[in-house]
Amino acid sequence: MDKKTTGWVAYLTWIGFIVAICAGDKEGAKFHLNQALVILIANTIGIIFSIIPVIGWIIGSLWNVFVFICWILGLIAAINEEEKEVPLLGQIKILK
């Protein structure tokens, strides 16, 4: 896969991320691979937090809405081949 395809496939769930890592252009799309990984981890944390009754439902729901917006922004940036960091989460670097 080329850089652009690798970038947007990485945002498509954990399976898409794994496919992008295994079959994609890791060097060319490293920025979007990192962004997608951070968003996927943040989403997983929000889902786990939402299990807590009442407070977790409210805070977890708000967090998941924020993560969803970040996901949309990251996906649009990958499709347009731009390297724009998503709000708050974009500063986290996991992949070197």
Side-chain angles (χ1 to χ4, degrees):
M1 288 188 290
D2 65 343
K3 174 183 166 184
K4 180 178 180 178
T5 306
T6 303
W8 67 262
V9 167
Y11 287 98
L12 303 179
T13 72
W14 283 102
I15 295 170
F17 180 78
I18 292 168
V19 168
I21 285 282
C22 294
D25 177 14
K26 289 184 270 297
E27 288 304 311
K30 188 181 292 188
F31 176 82
H32 288 294
L33 289 170
N34 185 68
Q35 295 278 297
L37 179 60
V38 171
I39 289 171
L40 289 168
I41 291 171
N43 185 45
T44 303
I45 290 169
I47 291 170
I48 292 169
F49 197 76
S50 294
I51 295 171
I52 301 169
V54 186
I55 303 261
W57 297 337
I58 296 167
I59 295 172
S61 296
L62 292 173
W63 177 254
N64 284 331
V65 168
F66 169 73
V67 171
F68 179 70
I69 292 168
C70 289
W71 177 78
I72 290 172
L73 293 173
L75 183 61
I76 290 170
I79 291 170
N80 292 331
E81 296 187 64
E82 300 171 342
E83 291 191 359
K84 290 184 180 177
E85 290 185 349
V86 295
L88 294 177
L89 302 175
Q91 299 171 358
I92 300 170
K93 304 292 184 228
I94 296 175
L95 300 176
K96 302 286 179 193

